């Protein structure tokens, strides 16, 4: 062993940029692909029994989802075995679609991942303590940080590149020597403090012993019985059952399904070629509606071993109440399914054709019952990162829904059947190389749809003797908290929350069944994160249509004279043809509106009427006014929230603030824009003077940009200093006093504390935060 170490040392002293595979072979034997163990290794440190918490708290906070650096997804042991790949998943410039590399789906063995150009990060040569450390990339990156900790400067040097689009460095063990010589400060965790001595020793000992997996927690017997019951429910043989279950799958394929008996164990609904009772043989396709190419599809519940990360975490409970509800929606109504629809792309991508036989009321209520989850799919699903995908929405807006009883009439079903061709979605076009002809086609189809929609809206209004507040869904008389949602966009990520949070926003959406379904099939079921630039461009352009439609639905409830004023303000300096598009719908609507307005600001008045109408369904525990604050404290919080203009222009998108004894708050910087009608030039449409700040109680967003800690007695001084900011130097001074920077030696202790409070106070939604967007200021 000493001789082997001497050889490595001599190679490093000689300045070798790389140590070739053959040289490693001579030292530790030829590499042998390491597959999942069939049984635990006795007497060893293991992933499940010892090191998983360390990896979650120190590694997964950067290495999760599609945007994991080097595709090194460390949420699971399987991801650790798979290793790293330098090809980026998020690439808005590629002309051809990328190869699919979804963990658990697009390869089933480590050998298959090696064939897809993933290289190992743990040793695959002889299993000895020395080889496991010397020939393991993960061990070497940890050693590098241990030997070269962060500089003591508060602001890390420019040699650290924290730009999300920076060139990736994904060294293999063969190239690691050159990497470490060139970048001695780039050990892991990157740009953050190293592991403490206890964590470091335990992790290195585990790696030295061979990085054993250990034994995952067993599924409780009660949960196993529920899985049997649910798989029976989801695999009925009749045509009706098969169509219903296809609909359920295409809407829940991203869900973290759970049972109350094991609330932190999660399952995925997957398609399998094998029936319940047999091992799952997963059917993996690019999209959930793609042809499974088997005679019989079975819907199975597969246990996901991954740690949950906030940016993709979408919990969805399975229980008796849920099954009874679906039974009532889909099976206790009279309708027939004469034949099953095909999986041809032209129809499979269009839910209004595929599921035409299912009652509209059942489909709408299915999504509406968990509306936050439905919307969250496009917020946290395949579009979990991407400014081009998300700059189609405002930074802060509210969402309301049309009442289901007004969306499920015979007239509505006939309208959807007659207009299904107008509701084609870009997913059917696939990875086209020429997006503009398709965009022009969809544009014309949308215009035709809006003209037809205006007629049906006028018809409903006549039947109701005019528009009224009762056309909105009231959350089943305030009992369902999904009736009103708040969406925040945080540059290239977003979040959605129940209730109305923050000050009244500039815009709002009103969503009915056709719009809700199209959002799902555009940005969730039909969005291919591996698709080429044309696919992503078409999806973004089509989402423009859907956003405008949602906004026009809201504006429809305002007085006629206010409608044009609002839309003109929302679309200042937009292209002239856009105004024609806006007028196409609004000008065809009847004028009768039974909502009585008395103020000079009808939009604010409508917001207040909706809050009163929705009652408890409009409330949110994240609102500072709903929490127990005394008058003095509330005044300070609201004074801080009233900050606008230049003072908040230095603030990043999301700042997590801890006030000891009061808990966690999030300062949300909402950017204002003249309009959102253009794909590019967002910085030119930004109006900093109109930016505002929302303060939420708790964690909002999955990617905190900054951490602050302010003692309660210093809160007034903090607010004063905050509102006085006029320069970057002022912001840096604020951070010097109150900031917990990424360079802070106590960063990880604070991070653990934040996660503890997060899981304690927001248990239904809490998961691991992501630190890829932490600022260095």
């Amino acid at each position: 062993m000493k001789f082997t170490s001497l050889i490595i040392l001599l190679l490093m002293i000689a300045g070798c940029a790389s140590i070739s595979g053959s040289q490693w072979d001579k030292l530790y034997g030829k590499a042998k692909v390491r597959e999942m163990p069939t049984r635990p290794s006795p007497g060893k440190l293991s992933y499940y029994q010892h090191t998983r918490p360390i990896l979650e708290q120190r590694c997964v906070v950067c290495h999760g989802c599609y945007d994991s650096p080097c595709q090194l997804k460390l949420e699971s042991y399987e991801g650790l075995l798979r290793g790293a790949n330098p090809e980026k998943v998020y690439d808005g410039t590629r002309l051809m679609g990328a190869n699919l590399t979804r963990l658990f789906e697009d390869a089933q063995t480590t050998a298959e991942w090696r064939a897809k150009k993933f290289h190992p990060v743990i040793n695959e040569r002889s299993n000895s303590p020395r080889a496991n450390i010397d020939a393991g990339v993960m061990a070497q990156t940890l050693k590098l940080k241990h030997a070269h900790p962060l500089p003591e400067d508060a602001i890390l040097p420019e040699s650290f590149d924290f730009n999300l689009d920076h060139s990736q460095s994904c060294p293999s063990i063969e190239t690691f020597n050159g990497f470490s010589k060139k970048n001695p400060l780039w050990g892991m965790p990157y740009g953050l403090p190293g592991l403490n001595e206890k964590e470091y020793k335990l992790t290195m000992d585990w790696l030295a012993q061979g990085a054993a997996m250990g034994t995952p927690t067993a599924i409780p017997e009660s949960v196993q019985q529920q899985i049997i019951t649910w798989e029976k429910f989801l695999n009925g043989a009749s045509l009706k059952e098969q169509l219903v279950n296809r609909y359920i799958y295409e809407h829940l394929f991203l869900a973290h399904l759970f049972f109350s008996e094991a609330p932190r164990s999660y399952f995925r609904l997957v398609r399998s070629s094998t029936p319940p009772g047999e091992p799952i043989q997963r059917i993996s396709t690019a999209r959930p509606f793609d042809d499974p190419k088997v005679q019989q599809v079975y819907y199975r519940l597969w246990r996901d071993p991954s740690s949950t990360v906030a940016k993709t975490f979408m919990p969805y409970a399975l229980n008796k109440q849920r099954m009874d509800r679906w039974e009532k929606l889909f099976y206790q109504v009279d309708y027939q399914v004469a034949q099953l629809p095909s999986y041809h792309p032209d129809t499979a991508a269009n839910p209004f054709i595929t599921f035409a036989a299912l009652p509209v009321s059942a489909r709408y209520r299915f999504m509406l019952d968990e509306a936050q989850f439905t919307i969250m799919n496009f917020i946290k699903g395949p579009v979990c990162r991407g400014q081009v995908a998300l700059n189609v929405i405002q930074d802060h807006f509210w969402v309301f829904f049309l009442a289901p009883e007004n969306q499920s009439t015979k007239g509505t079903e006939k309208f959807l059947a007659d207009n299904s061709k107008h509701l084609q979605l870009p997913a059917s076009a696939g990875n086209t190389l020429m997006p503009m002809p398709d965009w022009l086609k969809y544009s014309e189809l949308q215009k035709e749809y809006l003209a037809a929609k205006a007629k049906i809206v006028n018809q409903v209004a006549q039947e109701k003797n005019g528009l009224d507040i009762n056309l909105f869904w009231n959350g089943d008389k305030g009992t369902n908290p999904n009736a009103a949602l708040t969406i925040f966009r945080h540059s290239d990520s977003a979040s959605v929350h129940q209730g109305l949070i923050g000050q009244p926003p500039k815009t709002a959406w009103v969503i009915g069944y056709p719009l809700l379904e199209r959002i799902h099939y555009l940005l969730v079921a039909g969005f291919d994160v591996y698709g080429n630039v044309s696919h992503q461009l078409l999806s973004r352009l089509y989402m423009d249509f859907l956003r405008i439609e949602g906004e026009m639905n809201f504006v429809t409830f305002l007085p006629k004279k206010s409608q044009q004023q609002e839309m003109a303000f929302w679309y200042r300096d937009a292209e002239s043809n856009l105004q024609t598009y806006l007028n196409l719908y609004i000008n065809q609507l009847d004028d009768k509106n039974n909502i009585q307005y008395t103020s000079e600001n009808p939009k604010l008045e409508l917001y207040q009427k909706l809050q009163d109408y929705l009652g408890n369904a409009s409330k949110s525990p994240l609102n500072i006014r709903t929490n127990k604050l005394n008058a003095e404290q509330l005044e300070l919080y609201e004074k801080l929230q009233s900050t606008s203009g230049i003072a908040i222009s230095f603030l990043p998108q999301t700042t997590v603030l801890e006030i000891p004894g009061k808990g966690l708050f999030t300062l949300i910087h909402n950017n204002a824009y003249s309009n959102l009608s253009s794909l590019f030039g967002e910085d030119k449409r930004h109006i900093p003077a109109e930016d505002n700040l929302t303060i939420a109680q708790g964690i909002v967003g999955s990617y905190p940009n900054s951490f602050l800690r302010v003692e309660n007695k210093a809160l007034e001084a903090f607010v004063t200093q905050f509102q006085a900011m006029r320069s970057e130097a002022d912001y840096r001074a604020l951070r010097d006093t109150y900031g917990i920077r990424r360079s802070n030696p106590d960063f990880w202790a604070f991070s653990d504390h934040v996660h503890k409070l997060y899981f304690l106070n927001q248990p239904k939604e809490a998961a691991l935060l992501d630190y890829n967007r932490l600022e260095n200021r």
Side-chain angles (χ1 to χ4, degrees):
M1 285 299 175
K2 290 182 179 179
F3 179 69
T4 300
S5 300
L6 179 61
I7 293 175
I8 296 174
L9 180 62
L10 289 173
L11 287 169
M12 295 177 69
I13 292 173
C16 295
S18 62
I19 302 175
S20 69
S22 60
Q23 289 171 313
W24 281 111
D25 292 347
K26 291 177 182 177
L27 295 171
Y28 295 125
K30 289 186 176 294
K32 183 180 180 181
V33 172
R34 185 169 170 178
E35 299 292 355
M36 285 287 289
T38 55
R39 59 179 182 271
S41 303
K44 286 187 175 183
L45 294 174
S46 70
Y47 169 80
Y48 278 109
Q49 276 64 55
H50 301 96
T51 59
R52 183 175 185 174
I54 298 174
L55 267 65
E56 286 182 334
Q57 295 156 14
R58 304 292 179 262
C59 305
V60 178
V61 287
C62 288
H63 285 273
C65 190
Y66 293 114
D67 58 353
S68 291
C70 303
Q71 294 194 58
L72 179 57
K73 287 168 59 66
L74 295 177
E75 305 108 297
S76 66
Y77 188 77
E78 290 84 346
L80 179 67
L81 286 185
R82 179 177 80 158
N85 185 320
E87 184 177 353
K88 290 184 177 181
V89 173
Y90 285 104
D91 183 356
T93 63
R94 57 177 169 244
L95 296 178
M96 304 297 291
N99 294 323
L100 300 178
T101 56
R102 297 164 299 178
L103 188 61
F104 303 114
E105 292 195 58
D106 300 314
Q108 301 304 316
T109 66
T110 309
E112 291 175 355
W113 287 121
R114 295 291 171 267
K116 292 178 179 287
K117 300 182 179 180
F118 281 77
H119 62 258
V121 296
I122 55 176
N123 173 45
E124 291 191 334
R125 289 178 163 82
S126 63
N127 186 12
S128 68
R130 175 63 63 183
N132 287 333
I133 297 300
D134 290 346
V137 173
M138 183 175 183
Q140 288 300 306
T141 59
L142 293 172
K143 280 187 67 177
L144 186 63
K145 173 56 69 75
H146 199 251
H148 300 277
L150 289 181
E152 295 183 0
D153 301 326
I155 309 299
L156 296 178
E158 292 183 1
S159 59
F160 287 97
D161 188 351
F162 298 115
N163 189 318
L164 278 177
D165 296 318
H166 71 275
S167 298
Q168 292 190 128
S169 295
C170 307
S172 64
I173 195 58
E174 290 79 11
T175 62
F176 190 83
N177 188 37
F179 167 83
S180 62
K181 281 185 172 295
K182 183 180 178 182
N183 309 293
L185 294 176
W186 286 16
M188 295 295 146
Y190 177 79
L192 290 163
L195 278 60
N196 64 38
E197 289 299 325
K198 182 179 179 181
E199 294 166 344
Y200 179 76
K201 184 179 186 308
L202 180 59
T203 305
M204 294 299 284
D205 286 349
W206 169 64
L207 291 170
Q209 292 180 18
M213 180 181 76
T215 307
T217 305
I219 301 175
E221 177 63 28
S222 59
V223 172
Q224 294 182 38
Q225 290 301 316
Q226 289 200 56
I227 291 173
I228 293 171
T229 301
W230 273 100
E231 289 192 343
K232 181 179 179 181
F233 177 85
L234 293 166
N235 288 286
S238 71
L239 295 182
K240 180 184 291 187
E241 288 170 309
Q242 290 184 64
L243 186 60
V244 168
N245 293 329
R246 177 175 170 179
Y247 185 81
I248 291 172
Y249 166 72
E250 291 185 14
H251 288 76
L252 296 187
F253 71 101
L254 291 178
H256 289 80
L257 304 169
F258 69 94
F259 303 95
S260 59
E261 292 86 349
R264 297 304 294 187
S265 292
Y266 297 99
F267 298 81
R268 303 284 192 165
L269 186 60
V270 301
R271 296 194 292 185
S272 174
S273 59
T274 52
E278 296 183 16
I280 293 173
Q281 295 293 325
R282 192 163 182 167
I283 299 169
S284 293
T285 57
R287 298 168 302 190
F289 51 73
D290 287 340
D291 191 346
K293 297 181 179 178
V294 296
Q295 187 173 3
Q296 176 69 54
V297 172
Y298 299 96
Y299 300 100
R300 306 289 302 280
L301 292 172
W302 168 75
R303 187 186 190 183
D304 188 346
S306 306
S307 305
T308 54
V309 293
K311 58 187 174 181
T312 60
F313 184 46
M314 294 181 281
Y316 195 101
L318 292 183
N319 48 40
K320 186 178 186 303
Q321 291 84 354
R322 181 83 66 197
M323 190 178 289
D324 290 345
R325 176 62 167 164
W326 290 355
E327 185 79 34
K328 180 179 180 181
L329 289 178
F330 291 107
Y331 297 118
Q332 294 179 11
V333 287
D334 185 22
Y335 67 97
Q336 301 297 319
V337 176
Q339 64 179 22
L340 294 177
S342 77
Y343 284 97
H344 191 280
D346 288 346
T347 55
N350 189 331
F352 305 103
I353 295 175
T354 301
F355 301 108
L358 300 182
V360 170
S361 59
R363 288 180 265 165
Y364 188 38
R365 285 307 307 235
F366 175 87
M367 291 190 289
L368 206 58
D369 282 351
E370 300 288 350
Q372 181 195 20
F373 168 84
T374 303
I375 297 294
M376 192 184 293
N377 272 262
F378 102 78
I379 297 292
K380 289 189 173 185
V383 197
C384 71
R385 175 191 160 192
Q387 190 168 8
V388 171
L390 289 171
N391 68 5
V392 73
I393 62 175
Q394 296 283 352
D395 271 30
H396 176 213
F397 61 99
W398 290 342
V399 176
F400 307 95
F401 299 91
L402 293 173
E405 54 268 25
N406 298 317
Q407 293 282 288
S408 54
T409 64
K410 290 294 183 183
T412 303
E413 295 197 0
K414 184 177 185 305
F415 166 74
L416 290 175
D418 292 345
N419 288 276
S420 60
K421 68 181 180 69
H422 295 136
L423 299 173
Q424 293 179 38
L425 292 159
S428 61
N431 285 318
T432 177
L433 291 176
M434 299 293 289
M436 290 315 296
D438 285 299
W439 180 82
L440 292 172
K441 179 186 77 172
Y442 295 129
S443 178
E444 289 304 314
L445 289 172
Q446 178 70 0
K447 288 179 181 178
E448 293 173 13
Y449 169 72
L450 287 177
K453 179 185 171 184
K455 293 180 181 179
I456 193 71
V457 169
N458 288 338
Q459 178 182 326
V460 171
Q462 289 174 5
E463 291 172 356
K464 301 289 183 179
N465 198 29
L467 298 178
D468 208 336
I469 201 80
N470 59 17
L471 290 175
F472 289 86
W473 181 45
N474 64 7
D476 303 330
K477 298 182 179 179
T479 61
N480 189 320
N482 289 282
L485 304 175
T486 298
I487 294 179
F488 293 103
R489 174 193 159 203
H490 319 292
S491 183
D492 62 355
S493 67
S495 57
V496 55
H497 305 273
Q498 293 176 343
L500 303 178
I501 302 170
Q503 55 274 74
K506 173 183 171 183
T507 68
W509 295 6
V510 174
I511 297 178
Y513 168 68
L515 182 54
L516 191 58
E517 195 77 274
R518 279 185 293 160
I519 289 173
H520 180 79
Y521 276 84
L522 175 72
L523 293 179
V524 185
F527 188 83
D528 181 5
V529 71
Y530 295 87
N532 70 353
V533 61
S534 294
H535 166 75
Q536 298 188 38
L537 178 63
L538 272 177
S539 298
R540 193 275 182 209
L541 292 172
Y542 194 91
M543 186 58 198
D544 262 336
F545 301 150
L546 303 189
R547 183 201 66 246
I548 293 170
E549 186 177 342
E551 291 171 342
M552 287 193 294
N553 287 345
F554 175 79
V555 165
T556 299
F557 288 89
L558 295 176
K560 195 71 174 178
K561 65 178 182 180
S562 299
Q563 294 175 0
Q564 293 288 359
Q565 294 173 0
E566 281 296 333
M567 295 301 282
F569 180 65
W570 296 355
Y571 289 92
R572 287 169 286 173
D573 304 320
E575 294 87 344
S576 57
N577 61 342
L578 180 66
Q579 191 59 51
T580 303
Y581 182 82
L582 297 174
N583 293 340
L584 178 71
Y585 176 71
I586 291 178
N587 289 345
Q588 294 188 54
L589 295 176
D590 290 342
D591 294 343
K592 189 164 186 182
N593 189 336
N594 292 327
I595 301 174
Q596 299 298 313
Y597 293 97
T598 59
S599 73
E600 295 296 316
N601 194 330
K603 181 177 71 176
L604 290 182
E605 197 173 348
L606 180 56
Y607 282 151
Q608 186 59 56
K609 289 178 183 293
L610 284 168
Q611 285 180 286
D612 295 340
Y613 174 70
L614 297 175
N616 288 333
S618 71
K619 297 177 181 178
S620 169
L622 299 181
N623 257 327
I624 55 175
R625 278 193 165 273
T626 62
N627 289 278
K628 297 178 180 179
L629 302 172
N630 62 41
E632 184 180 356
Q633 292 168 338
L634 185 60
E635 183 180 357
L636 272 175
Y637 287 116
E638 293 192 334
K639 180 181 178 183
L640 180 60
Q641 183 167 268
S642 69
T643 310
S644 61
I646 192 168
I648 64 170
S649 65
F650 305 103
L651 204 65
Q653 294 293 294
T654 58
T655 299
V656 174
L657 165 69
E658 190 213 1
I659 301 175
K662 298 298 179 184
L664 299 176
F665 298 81
T666 304
L667 310 183
I668 307 156
H669 178 180
N670 303 312
N671 288 350
Y673 301 95
S674 58
N675 67 79
L676 294 178
S677 63
S678 177
L679 182 63
F680 304 108
E682 184 176 82
D683 56 332
K684 296 179 181 178
R685 291 178 280 114
H686 181 205
I687 308 175
E690 296 180 12
D691 288 4
N692 63 26
L693 184 69
T694 299
I695 303 178
Q697 173 94 46
I699 296 286
V700 168
S702 306
Y703 300 87
N705 303 119
S706 173
F707 288 117
L708 299 173
R709 189 173 190 271
V710 180
E711 295 290 341
N712 199 53
K713 62 184 179 182
L715 188 58
E716 186 170 0
F718 168 77
V719 173
T720 300
Q721 185 176 351
F722 182 93
Q723 294 191 322
M725 286 193 299
R726 293 296 180 270
S727 67
E728 180 67 22
D730 290 341
Y731 177 69
R732 183 170 294 189
L734 186 84
R735 297 273 285 149
D736 287 342
T737 305
Y738 303 106
I740 306 293
R741 289 187 170 97
R742 64 186 307 144
S743 58
N744 193 314
D746 295 325
F747 175 85
W748 289 120
F750 185 78
S751 170
D752 293 344
H753 178 61
V754 165
H755 277 99
K756 182 179 180 181
L757 291 176
Y758 186 22
F759 278 84
L760 179 66
N761 296 316
Q762 296 169 257
K764 292 183 179 179
E765 60 197 75
L768 294 167
L769 299 171
D770 190 282
Y771 293 157
N772 278 298
R773 290 161 175 74
L774 280 177
E775 65 179 12
N776 180 37
R777 296 165 66 198

